[in-house]
């Protein structure tokens, strides 16, 4: 009863009297065993060595003063260090020394002030324990009544409770007023629909595969067994959105022995003589899946350890990613350079709501 | 030579100052010993390239005694080890020179350890393997000097290497217990050979992928990282936020909690 | 404050200047009133009560160093060619944000120091908040009347993480760019609105050219403003509620025993500020943090092994790593990324459980009294066990964020580490719960034993009958009181309400209450002590 009703009491709020009655625990009972110990009261203050021995007190005083003086010296050292350990352009050890000695000076200056003050407080300031009475956090009854009265008067004088039209329309107005601010955030991004952008990359028919970062084209014969090329599209160099386009178009290129490569029927012409190209952007949350193992043909993402098997069309063999890495269909052009046959056949990178 | 010229400039400007002068001195010392070492290895590789018949037969004997168990008497490979036809002298020099071969035990990956053979013996085995079928040879000294473009090298390193070896060359994990080793202190020749041969599960970076000049740039970048200590102080293994987080919890917060206990302890 | 106080007490003492200055101030601000109220306020002295201070002081260090950094940092993604002193990046194209961060590190004296101070202090800030929260939790210091301050403190924790993450992203290096890439991927995984949130956040497609300036205004304006306001409220409520104290002789629920703010506490706390700041600077002069020059400018193609967030985001990253494979489906024509949603929901539930815990416990116990004596963790076994389970859950997620580094450093496979942590995420908290609960009860029993029979002195004597006996050193009343001053709760009784009915809710609550209080060891009593003495 008590504990269950109490919720209603609190909700009622203004009924101060009812709440006040529950000074005894509403819920849990506390077992007070008979013959419990009583609080023995504060123990006598302990006396410190510095309280008894004036010589020790003097030593302590000197120590505190000494620490503060040392702090001054350390601060000056920091200023001197700033000047005598300048940064010599191109010389990394000068940066190291500047950092080290400036920092050492400042930190010693700060720590000495700190230790000095604490030592002072511990050994020289009046020792002992003080007691302060606690008041219940809840306001006194008359205060609470006065506060309730303020609200009552406010309500009465304004007619907030009485005048429903004013009250409701004001609440409505306040609720609606932030909405323009929400709308205004629309132009955080351009007008174009993100979904269309996410579904395409700059790869296209006959776009050459180039080495990243040297931006040179790759002949099929360059791609020897066991090597891995980090690839960007030729058209990327002229892109208006270089870095956004690169974030979707980065590709990993490698050659596998025909017996290692398992190709499904609809992808028969996507590789060129065992050379395959896969998106480098993880289908989990988008890190570059760049760790390629030569003999296992596994790709590993260093962020969340998803693993993809290149010999089986980059299917996921471990980790949180679900989808295989998208494959870029490739062939060679008339000069023998590797080119894309088309864009990817699916969106690259992490999943998104509108993807499928 | 970018790094060196900056060292020279520094020496001229700050020659009279003690700490920098001593650092400069150490750098010069390192550079000169490195140079002397480079000269020595040049002669060694020159010998290998003009491999004598004697060297080849010495190598064959060493091979039969130490390698044939796994790689087969004719180096054609067995179920315990791959064929060595066409792997070239570079592969032998890397695998034996870094102590990875002979393997201590069959595991996910051969571990680096002190070399088991003298350079002469390694050269002999390399000559023998190179005589079986053509493959990548010992790299030319001119790519190994470590004085080409570190900026290009850094860019190439980040695109082609950092995903496994970490941007600071601290190494990283691969699948099923394999790992990309740390690159600190690895000899330029071995770095080059590793790129060209793709040891274990590392991909091959043939000259059609990264030109010898590209490789020289990457080596220069790694040398730069090796020769320049982390400017902000100890690098905590260059492992990134994990080591930083552990450090602040254990040593940073640990030290400060120690101080709080001192502050609230009653004095005598 | 001293000076103002002197005006109210003895203006004749001290220098003329201080009393005149105090008088000047008081006649314009009434500051004497505040000084009188607060100047001798008592603050209990215990090391664990200083953890919140660590957070506060690191925040001050962050503000100071951060302000220095704003003078040099250029928060734009305009592409420039680097021409500073770091040779291996010369001529490389990068954003002005990254270039200016390099300049701060390599071309401005003390710039690197301030960057490191800022970053180390940030890590310490969140760590200190975490430890402070654990202290408050395991002490039950969140109980009435401090539930709201728990919520405010929790908000500060979230804001601190937001500050950390926005700051981590500003240098626009490879590490922070890949961090944003992960955020983009996670946001896109949110059903219905994900694509659009990402699109609006990045001002177009990832990564765009606006994310750095946008995060910058959040990082230096909006979030810190809210943080400072919440911090003020947090401290204000602490002053109003007064600090809790441990049980001890002379300490009751109606008083607070400790040292006065002026001068003792002020000297200690003020000195402690300098120590904390000094330790941060010391760490920053000896240890590198976030060497952005190694990472290079952000480029969507490269990545570094060991790409991790700062430690406080680690539990989220770990949740992403531990999710079982294959959880992404196409349903009703839309993509449902449960491999992203499940980690977000699990972490979300965990966070909500943390913030709501005081209310949940209050509901279960039905306890509406004020509590100013902190409970020792052992004296609330169920709460301590829940806390231990929560800490274990968090720790496993956290460790998972370093699964690759665990694998390389302990010569394990990534797969084994992941699978073990997946199992541990479920089993670990259960084991921790029971171990913690049993340990608490064992400690309570030991306390009881000591309260009644004293400490084992280690001195053996041989009784006349040949029997060996260890002499126990009896406790003083003061020592004993620390061990016995805790409340022994009884589970809620199911009682019919006014209409003579027992609601189902009432039964649920009673069941929870039984679970919460089922195992309990009541404090030793004087009667037991005396009857024990008779036996000897």
């Amino acid at each position: 009863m008590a504990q269950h009703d109490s919720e209603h009491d609190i909700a009622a709020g203004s009924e101060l009297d009812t709440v006040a009655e529950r000074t005894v625990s509403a819920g849990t009972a506390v077992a007070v065993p008979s013959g419990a110990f009583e609080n023995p009261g504060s123990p006598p203050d302990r006396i410190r060595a510095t309280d008894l021995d004036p010589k020790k007190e003097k030593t302590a005083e000197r120590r505190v003063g000494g620490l503060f003086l040392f702090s001054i010296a350390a601060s000056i050292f920091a200023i001197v260090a700033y000047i005598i350990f300048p940064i010599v352009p191109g010389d990394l050890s000068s940066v190291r020394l500047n950092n080290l000695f400036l920092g050492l000076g400042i930190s010693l200056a700060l720590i000495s002030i700190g230790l000095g003050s604490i030592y002072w407080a511990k050994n020289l300031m009046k020792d002992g324990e003080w007691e302060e009475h606690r008041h219940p956090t809840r306001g006194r009854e008359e205060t609470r009544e006065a506060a309730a009265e303020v609200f009552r008067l406010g309500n009465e004088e304004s007619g907030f409770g009485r005048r429903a039209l004013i009250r409701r329309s004001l609440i409505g107005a306040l609720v609606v007023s932030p909405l323009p601010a929400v709308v205004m955030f629309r132009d955080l991004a351009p007008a174009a629909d993100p979904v269309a952008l996410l579904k395409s990359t700059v790869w296209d028919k006959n776009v050459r595969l180039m080495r990243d970062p040297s931006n040179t084209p790759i002949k099929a014969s360059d791609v020897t067994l066991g090597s891995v090329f980090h690839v960007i599209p030729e058209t990327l160099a002229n892109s208006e959105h270089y870095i956004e386009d690169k974030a979707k178009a980065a590709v990993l290129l490698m050659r596998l022995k025909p017996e290692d490569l398992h190709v499904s029927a609809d992808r028969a012409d996507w590789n060129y003589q065992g050379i395959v190209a896969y998106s480098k952007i993880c289908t989990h949350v988008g890190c570059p899946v760049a760790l390629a193992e030569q003999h296992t043909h596994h790709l590993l993402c260093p962020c969340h350890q998803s693993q993809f098997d290149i010999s089986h069309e980059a299917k996921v063999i471990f980790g949180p990613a679900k989808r295989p890495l998208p494959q870029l269909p490739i062939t060679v052009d008339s000069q023998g350079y590797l080119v894309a046959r088309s864009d990817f056949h699916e969106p690259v990178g992490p999943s998104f709501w509108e993807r499928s | 030579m970018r790094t060196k010229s900056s060292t020279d400039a520094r020496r001229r400007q700050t020659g009279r100052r003690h700490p920098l002068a001593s650092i400069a001195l150490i750098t010069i010392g390192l550079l000169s010993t490195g140079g002397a070492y480079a000269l020595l290895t040049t002669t060694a590789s020159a010998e290998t390239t003009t491999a004598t018949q004697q060297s080849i037969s010495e190598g064959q004997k060493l091979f039969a005694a130490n390698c044939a168990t796994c790689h087969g008497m004719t180096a054609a490979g067995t179920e315990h080890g791959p064929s060595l036809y066409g792997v070239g002298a570079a592969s032998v020099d890397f695998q034996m020179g870094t102590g990875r071969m002979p393997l201590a035990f069959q595991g996910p990956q051969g571990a680096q350890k002190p070399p088991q053979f003298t350079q002469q013996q390694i050269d002999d085995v390399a000559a023998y393997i190179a005589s079986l079928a053509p493959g990548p040879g010992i790299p030319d000294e001119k790519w190994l000097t470590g004085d080409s473009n570190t900026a290009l090298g850094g860019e190439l390193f980040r695109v082609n290497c950092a995903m496994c070896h970490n941007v600071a060359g601290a190494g990283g994990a691969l699948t099923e217990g394999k790992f990309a080793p740390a690159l600190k202190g690895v000899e330029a020749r071995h770095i080059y050979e590793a790129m060209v041969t793709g040891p274990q599960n590392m991909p091959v970076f043939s000259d059609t992928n990264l030109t010898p000049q590209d490789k020289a740039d990457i080596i220069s970048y790694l040398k730069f990282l090796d020769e320049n200590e982390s400017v902000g102080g100890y690098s905590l293994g260059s492992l990134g936020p994990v080591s930083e987080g552990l450090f602040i919890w254990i040593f940073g917060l640990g030290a400060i909690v120690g101080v709080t206990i001192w502050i609230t302890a009653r004095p005598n | 404050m001293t000076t103002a106080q002197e005006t109210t007490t003895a203006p004749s003492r001290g220098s003329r200047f201080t009393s005149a200055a105090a008088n000047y101030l008081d006649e314009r601000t009434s500051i004497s009133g505040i000084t009188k109220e607060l100047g001798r306020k008592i603050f209990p002295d215990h090391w664990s009560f200083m953890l919140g201070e660590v957070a506060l002081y690191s925040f001050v260090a962050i503000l100071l160093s951060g302000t220095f950094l704003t003078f040099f940092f250029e928060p734009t993604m305009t592409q420039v060619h680097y021409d500073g002193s770091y040779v291996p990046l010369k001529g490389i194209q990068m954003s002005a944000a990254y270039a200016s961060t390099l300049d701060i590190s390599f071309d401005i004296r003390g710039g690197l120091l301030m960057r490191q101070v800022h970053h180390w202090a940030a890590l310490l800030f969140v760590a200190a908040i975490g430890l402070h929260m654990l202290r408050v939790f395991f002490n039950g210091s969140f109980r009435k009347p401090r539930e709201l301050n728990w919520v405010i403190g929790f908000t500060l924790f979230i804001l601190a993480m937001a500050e950390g993450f926005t700051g981590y992203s500003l240098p626009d290096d490879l590490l922070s760019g890949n961090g944003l890439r992960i955020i983009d991927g996670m946001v896109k995984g949110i059903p219905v609105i994900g694509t659009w949130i990402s699109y609006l956040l990045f001002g177009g497609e990832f990564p765009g050219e606006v994310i750095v300036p946008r995060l910058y205004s959040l990082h230096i304006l909006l979030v810190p403003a809210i943080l400072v306001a919440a911090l003020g409220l947090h401290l204000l409520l602490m002053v109003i509620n007064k600090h809790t104290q441990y049980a001890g002789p002379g300490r009751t629920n109606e008083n607070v025993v400790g040292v006065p703010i002026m001068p003792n506490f002020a000297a200690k706390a003020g000195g402690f500020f300098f120590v904390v700041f000094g330790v941060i600077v010391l760490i920053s002069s000896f240890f590198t943090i976030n060497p952005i020059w190694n990472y290079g400018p952000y480029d969507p193609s490269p990545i570094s092994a060991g790409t991790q967030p700062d430690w406080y985001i680690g539990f989220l990253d770990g949740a992403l790593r531990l999710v079982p494979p294959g959880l992404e489906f196409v349903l009703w024509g839309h993509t449902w990324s449960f491999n992203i949603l499940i980690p977000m929901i699990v972490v979300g539930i965990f966070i909500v459980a943390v913030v709501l815990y005081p209310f949940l416990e209050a509901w279960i116990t039905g306890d509406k009294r004020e509590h100013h004596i902190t409970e020792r963790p052992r004296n609330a076994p169920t709460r301590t066990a829940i806390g231990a389970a929560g800490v274990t859950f968090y720790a496993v997620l956290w460790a998972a964020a370093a699964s690759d580094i665990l694998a390389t450093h302990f010569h394990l496979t990534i797969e084994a580490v992941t699978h073990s942590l997946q199992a541990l995420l479920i089993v670990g908290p259960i084991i921790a719960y029971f171990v913690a609960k049993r340990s608490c009860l064992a400690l309570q029993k030991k306390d009881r034993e000591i309260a009644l029979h004293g400490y084992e002195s280690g001195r053996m004597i041989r009784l006349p009958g040949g029997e060996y006996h260890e002499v126990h050193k009896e406790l003083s009343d003061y020592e004993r009181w620390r061990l016995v001053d805790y409340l022994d709760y009884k589970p809620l009784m199911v009682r019919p309400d006014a209409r003579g009915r027992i609601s189902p809710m009432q039964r649920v609550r009673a069941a929870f209450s039984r679970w919460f209080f089922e195992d309990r060891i009541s404090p030793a009593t004087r009667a037991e002590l005396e009857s024990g003495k008779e036996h000897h």
Side-chain angles (χ1 to χ4, degrees):
Chain A
M1 50 174 207
Q3 61 272 29
H4 198 70
D5 289 349
S6 65
E7 255 103 79
H8 299 288
D9 293 346
I10 283 166
S14 56
E15 293 173 64
L16 301 175
D17 293 346
T18 356
V19 183
E21 272 170 17
R22 289 187 295 104
T23 43
V24 187
S25 166
T28 324
V30 176
V32 185
S34 57
F37 286 103
E38 299 90 39
N39 194 330
S42 291
D45 284 346
R46 292 186 340 148
I47 315 245
R48 298 169 296 189
T50 45
D51 296 327
L52 293 173
D53 186 350
K55 254 164 69 187
K56 285 201 170 139
E57 191 188 346
K58 200 70 203 163
T59 315
E61 194 178 336
R62 283 205 200 95
R63 274 187 196 153
V64 174
L67 279 166
F68 290 160
L69 289 174
F70 179 74
S71 168
I72 296 174
S75 289
I76 293 169
F77 173 76
I79 297 169
V80 173
Y82 186 85
I83 297 159
I84 66 165
F85 295 105
I87 291 178
V88 181
D91 176 11
L92 292 186
S93 62
S94 72
V95 183
R96 186 181 164 96
L97 292 176
N98 180 274
N99 184 71
L100 177 63
F101 288 112
L102 183 64
L104 204 57
I106 295 175
S107 62
L108 289 179
L110 294 170
I111 290 176
S112 310
I113 296 180
L115 295 183
S117 314
I118 295 164
Y119 194 80
W120 180 11
K122 277 172 60 112
N123 292 291
L124 292 169
M125 289 183 187
K126 186 173 167 1
D127 192 31
E129 286 192 322
W130 285 258
E131 188 186 350
E132 186 181 342
H133 194 68
R134 264 182 217 279
H135 310 284
T137 311
R138 172 190 164 93
R140 276 189 304 229
E141 287 315 318
E142 54 269 36
T143 317
R144 290 164 60 97
E145 270 163 34
E149 180 67 8
V150 168
F151 278 99
R152 199 188 57 74
L153 284 175
N155 185 19
E156 197 177 286
E157 291 169 15
S158 64
F160 188 79
R162 215 164 53 239
R163 301 185 212 279
L165 172 67
I166 292 182
R167 187 177 70 243
R168 288 176 192 156
S169 56
L170 173 64
I171 292 169
L174 288 175
V175 168
V176 177
S177 65
L179 293 183
V182 177
V183 177
M184 281 164 68
F185 284 109
R186 170 60 187 88
D187 278 355
L188 279 176
D193 178 16
V195 177
L197 290 173
L198 289 173
K199 285 187 173 173
S200 71
T201 74
V202 290
W203 286 111
D204 206 350
K205 194 172 166 60
N206 293 330
V207 172
R208 274 184 182 166
L209 281 71
M210 313 291 267
R211 291 178 183 84
D212 182 23
S214 58
N215 205 33
T216 47
I218 305 161
K219 280 213 158 92
S221 56
D222 294 345
V223 189
T224 49
L225 271 178
S227 63
V228 170
F229 284 62
H230 297 264
V231 168
I232 47 177
E234 186 183 20
T235 45
L236 185 67
N238 312 320
S239 164
E240 279 179 42
H241 302 285
Y242 177 85
I243 199 159
E244 292 77 21
D245 284 338
K246 187 172 183 181
K248 288 187 294 183
V251 155
L252 219 50
L253 182 76
M254 60 217 91
R255 185 197 285 267
L256 271 66
K257 287 181 197 155
E259 66 265 30
D260 287 338
L261 206 58
H262 300 80
V263 183
S264 55
D266 54 337
R267 293 190 182 184
D269 57 354
W270 286 17
N271 74 75
Y272 181 77
Q273 296 177 350
I275 305 177
V276 286
Y278 284 94
S279 165
K280 196 170 155 183
I281 310 303
C282 190
T283 56
H284 176 222
V285 285
C287 286
V289 189
L291 287 71
E293 295 182 352
Q294 189 197 158
H295 298 295
T296 59
H297 311 300
H298 292 174
L299 297 183
L300 169 69
C301 178
C303 292
H304 304 102
Q305 284 73 47
S306 292
Q307 293 170 20
F308 302 86
D309 185 358
I310 290 302
S311 55
H312 289 86
E313 299 184 338
K315 75 165 186 196
V316 178
I317 49 172
F318 185 82
K322 166 77 178 283
R323 287 178 293 110
L325 296 167
Q327 186 176 2
L328 183 73
I330 54 168
T331 182
V332 291
D333 63 10
S334 54
Q335 291 163 280
Y337 288 110
L338 289 167
V339 293
R341 297 177 71 100
S342 71
D343 195 356
F344 290 100
H345 286 218
E346 55 181 319
V348 298
S351 297
F352 51 97
W353 182 245
E354 301 88 345
R355 184 179 183 280
S356 46
Chain B
M1 175 174 178
R2 264 162 202 258
T3 47
K4 197 175 176 208
S5 65
S6 66
T7 324
D8 289 343
R10 183 214 311 160
R11 209 188 318 142
R12 272 197 303 279
Q13 284 175 19
T14 62
R16 262 176 237 109
R17 236 172 274 124
H18 309 291
L20 292 183
S22 58
I23 287 167
L25 209 64
I26 292 166
T27 321
I28 298 161
L30 283 172
L31 284 174
S32 52
T33 36
Y37 181 76
L39 268 171
L40 283 172
T41 45
T42 318
T43 30
S45 69
E47 275 171 17
T48 339
T49 40
T50 56
T52 57
Q53 195 51 49
Q54 192 200 350
S55 179
I56 292 174
S57 62
E58 277 301 312
Q60 186 168 16
K61 281 181 209 150
L62 282 164
F63 182 89
N66 298 287
C67 322
T69 331
C70 300
H71 293 288
M73 281 312 286
T74 57
T78 69
E79 58 185 272
H80 300 298
S83 158
L84 300 181
Y85 281 78
V87 300
S91 188
V92 175
D93 190 52
F94 174 83
Q95 298 283 3
M96 293 177 73
T98 60
R100 286 180 168 81
M101 291 290 151
L103 276 181
F105 56 89
Q106 290 281 348
Q109 172 165 336
Q112 197 177 353
K113 53 186 185 298
Q116 310 287 298
F117 298 91
T118 64
Q119 189 60 47
Q120 183 57 52
Q121 291 171 315
I122 295 171
D123 290 342
D124 290 344
V125 178
Y128 165 64
I129 294 296
S131 73
L132 298 176
I138 305 291
D140 195 317
E141 276 307 311
K142 69 178 175 183
W143 308 120
L144 308 179
T145 50
D147 56 0
S148 39
N149 192 331
T150 52
L152 272 179
E155 203 175 11
L156 288 164
F157 181 80
R158 285 189 292 274
V159 170
N160 290 288
C161 323
M163 70 292 258
C164 300
H165 290 286
N166 164 304
V167 283
L174 297 172
T175 69
E176 284 151 7
K178 299 185 287 289
F179 61 93
L183 301 178
K184 196 166 177 58
V186 179
E187 276 173 46
R189 189 161 47 104
H190 292 148
I191 295 173
Y192 194 104
E193 287 163 355
M195 287 193 271
V196 116
T197 61
Q200 318 219 10
N201 259 298
M202 177 169 160
V204 179
F205 293 92
S206 60
D207 289 353
T208 56
N209 189 353
L210 294 173
T211 63
Q213 184 57 51
D214 289 342
K215 294 189 181 86
D217 289 343
I218 290 174
I219 287 168
S220 304
Y221 179 65
L222 287 170
K223 287 293 131 193
F224 181 93
L225 291 184
D226 260 5
E227 283 164 12
N228 290 281
E229 283 177 280
S230 177
V231 293
Y234 299 104
S235 64
L236 304 174
S238 298
L239 292 174
V242 171
S243 54
E244 294 160 4
L246 276 180
F247 180 84
I248 202 69
W249 269 96
I250 295 169
F251 296 100
L253 203 52
I256 285 170
V257 166
V259 173
T260 64
I261 291 170
W262 172 67
I263 291 176
T264 49
R266 308 296 304 274
N268 290 326
Chain C
M1 299 273 263
T2 334
T3 56
Q5 198 178 19
E6 278 170 9
T7 41
T8 61
T9 53
S12 58
R13 264 189 67 234
S15 78
R16 271 170 198 285
F17 175 75
T18 43
S19 61
N23 180 51
Y24 182 93
L25 265 182
D26 188 43
E27 288 183 350
R28 282 154 187 83
T29 59
S30 295
I31 200 163
S32 59
I34 297 167
T35 311
K36 174 178 155 276
E37 276 303 310
L38 300 182
R40 293 292 281 185
K41 215 174 151 55
I42 300 303
F43 202 91
D45 216 18
H46 190 273
W47 69 267
S48 69
F49 296 164
M50 306 192 83
L51 298 170
E53 281 177 53
V54 180
L56 178 66
Y57 301 152
S58 354
F59 182 60
V60 175
I62 291 171
L63 282 183
L64 293 175
S65 55
T67 308
F68 182 88
L69 295 177
T70 60
F71 297 148
F72 302 98
F73 180 65
E74 263 182 73
T76 74
M77 294 168 92
T78 316
Q79 293 293 306
V80 296
H81 287 273
Y82 178 67
D83 191 29
S85 5
Y86 188 65
V87 175
L89 287 171
K90 272 219 191 236
I92 301 279
Q93 190 178 326
M94 58 181 63
S95 67
Y98 184 61
S100 62
T101 314
L102 289 173
D103 290 343
I104 290 172
S105 308
F106 291 111
D107 293 283
I108 288 158
R109 276 180 283 175
L112 179 60
L113 184 68
M114 286 299 116
R115 254 198 69 224
Q116 303 206 122
V117 165
H118 195 65
H119 204 146
W120 278 123
L123 294 196
L124 183 65
F125 180 45
V126 195
I129 294 179
L131 203 58
H132 176 55
M133 284 176 82
L134 289 176
R135 197 282 292 171
V136 170
F137 180 88
F138 285 109
N139 272 346
S141 298
F142 53 78
R143 288 173 300 168
K144 190 181 172 184
R146 295 182 179 78
E147 307 98 317
L148 294 183
N149 225 13
W150 169 267
V151 175
I152 295 169
F154 172 84
T155 313
L156 284 168
F157 182 56
I158 300 290
L159 288 170
M161 291 197 288
E163 274 293 48
F165 189 80
T166 51
Y168 170 93
S169 307
L170 291 181
D172 201 22
D173 60 328
L174 192 59
L175 185 65
S176 70
N178 278 311
L180 282 172
R181 172 86 252 198
I182 294 171
I183 293 291
D184 170 65
M186 286 178 71
V187 169
K188 280 185 179 145
I190 300 171
V192 187
I193 52 171
T195 311
W196 274 93
I197 294 181
S198 156
Y199 194 58
L200 293 170
L201 180 67
F202 290 93
E205 277 191 282
F206 174 86
E209 288 164 351
V210 296
I211 189 69
V212 166
R214 282 179 187 176
L215 291 178
Y216 186 66
S217 60
L218 296 179
H219 182 73
I220 70 155
L221 184 72
L222 189 66
V223 183
I226 303 172
L227 206 152
V228 168
L231 190 60
L233 210 54
H234 194 65
L235 295 177
L236 181 70
L237 272 177
M238 185 200 64
V239 169
I240 291 174
N241 292 329
K242 296 197 171 79
H243 209 283
T244 52
Q245 59 189 349
Y246 279 97
R251 293 161 195 214
T252 69
N253 208 29
E254 282 78 42
N255 72 0
V256 51
V257 175
V259 295
I261 287 188
M262 284 307 289
N264 200 313
F265 182 74
K268 281 184 176 177
F272 190 44
F273 162 71
F274 285 99
V275 172
V276 171
F277 201 170
V279 167
I280 292 169
V281 180
L282 194 66
I283 290 174
S284 308
S285 34
F286 279 101
F287 298 95
T288 308
I289 188 163
N290 197 14
I292 48 134
W293 49 90
N294 279 343
Y295 287 96
Y298 178 62
D299 176 336
S301 169
I303 186 147
S304 173
T307 289
Q308 264 106 4
D310 272 347
W311 78 260
Y312 41 83
I313 306 289
F315 74 114
L316 248 177
D317 197 54
L320 279 178
R321 291 182 187 211
L322 288 191
V323 72
L327 292 174
E328 184 189 309
F329 309 101
V330 175
L331 299 169
W332 308 292
H334 287 290
T335 304
W336 295 79
S337 306
F338 288 107
N339 49 0
I340 293 163
L341 284 173
I342 290 175
M344 286 203 276
I345 291 168
V346 167
V347 167
I349 290 173
F350 177 75
I351 284 179
V352 169
V354 170
V355 68
L356 291 184
Y357 185 81
F359 306 100
L360 297 175
E361 190 188 302
W363 182 79
I364 289 172
T365 60
D367 191 347
K368 300 246 173 352
R369 286 161 303 181
E370 287 195 11
H371 293 278
H372 301 295
I373 299 278
T374 59
E375 262 175 323
R376 295 168 81 204
R378 67 186 63 171
N379 289 334
T382 307
R383 180 199 301 135
T384 303
I386 293 170
V391 167
T392 309
F393 185 77
Y394 182 92
V396 173
L397 289 179
W398 194 22
S403 56
D404 48 339
I405 291 185
L406 289 175
T408 49
H409 282 71
F410 295 100
H411 303 288
L412 303 164
T413 69
I414 278 190
E415 294 80 0
V417 172
T418 305
H419 288 142
S420 319
L421 289 174
Q422 281 169 335
L424 211 55
L425 188 68
I426 312 290
V427 182
I430 297 171
I431 295 173
Y433 178 89
F434 288 105
V435 169
K437 187 152 183 187
R438 288 297 130 193
S439 308
C440 285
L441 293 172
L443 286 168
Q444 271 192 307
K445 275 188 190 139
K446 190 162 165 48
D447 273 359
R448 203 180 144 81
E449 195 70 13
I450 291 171
L452 291 177
H453 305 300
Y455 291 107
E456 289 168 1
S457 65
R459 196 162 61 87
M460 301 296 286
I461 51 164
R462 193 176 166 196
L463 299 178
E467 186 190 347
Y468 283 94
H469 180 72
E470 188 182 5
V471 178
H472 281 230
K473 191 173 167 289
E474 216 179 297
L475 271 70
S476 73
D477 285 349
Y478 302 123
E479 288 168 318
R480 187 182 297 110
W481 180 247
R482 285 180 207 281
L483 301 180
V484 299
D485 182 23
Y486 64 91
L487 297 173
D488 179 24
Y489 293 98
K490 284 184 175 148
L492 208 64
M493 294 286 289
V494 182
R495 291 206 193 96
D497 63 12
R499 280 172 291 177
R501 282 189 303 205
I502 297 171
S503 67
M505 201 56 149
Q506 177 91 328
R507 287 182 196 282
V508 172
R509 195 177 178 187
F512 269 118
S513 178
R514 273 198 301 282
W515 159 70
F516 200 82
F517 293 125
E518 63 182 343
D519 299 311
R520 60 192 197 285
I521 289 174
S522 40
T525 61
R526 179 163 295 281
E528 284 170 293
L529 181 71
E530 274 152 15
S531 74
K533 271 187 187 150
E534 280 162 24
H535 288 293
H536 281 289

